[in-house]
């Protein structure tokens, strides 16, 4: 089942890009950045994926 996600690349807390992605999971939406990602710990460069339907937020970091 596809969902709509807002995908933001951030440097610290500053957004550097933002786009909308339709994907099956938040992970697939994060992979849409065309960069390798992993679960976020406290990295400076990271990806915030927000599910549009329920505003759930998922955080990933670049490898």
């Amino acid at each position: 089942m596809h969902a709509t996600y807002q995908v933001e690349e951030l440097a610290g807390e500053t957004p550097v890009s933002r786009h909308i992605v339709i994907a099956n999971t938040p992970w697939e939406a994060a992979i849409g950045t065309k960069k390798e990602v992993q679960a976020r710990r406290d990295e400076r460069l990271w990806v915030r994926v927000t599910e549009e339907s329920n505003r759930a937020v998922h955080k990933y970091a670049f490898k």
Side-chain angles (χ1 to χ4, degrees):
M1 181 171 154
H2 295 300
T4 303
Y5 299 94
Q6 178 176 276
V7 179
E8 299 171 282
E9 294 184 42
L10 293 101
E13 292 300 317
T14 305
V16 293
S17 75
R18 179 179 295 143
H19 51 280
I20 300 297
V21 174
I22 296 173
N24 290 320
T25 66
W27 178 259
E28 288 179 9
I31 292 172
T33 62
K34 307 293 187 215
K35 300 172 186 167
E36 286 190 70
V37 293
Q38 61 189 8
R40 181 175 188 238
R41 292 177 290 280
D42 193 29
E43 294 82 357
R44 176 164 160 61
L45 301 176
W46 60 290
V47 179
R48 178 171 48 211
V49 178
T50 305
E51 190 167 346
E52 294 289 302
S53 65
N54 62 9
R55 305 304 297 164
V57 176
H58 307 272
K59 299 175 182 180
Y60 304 97
F62 297 116
K63 283 187 176 183

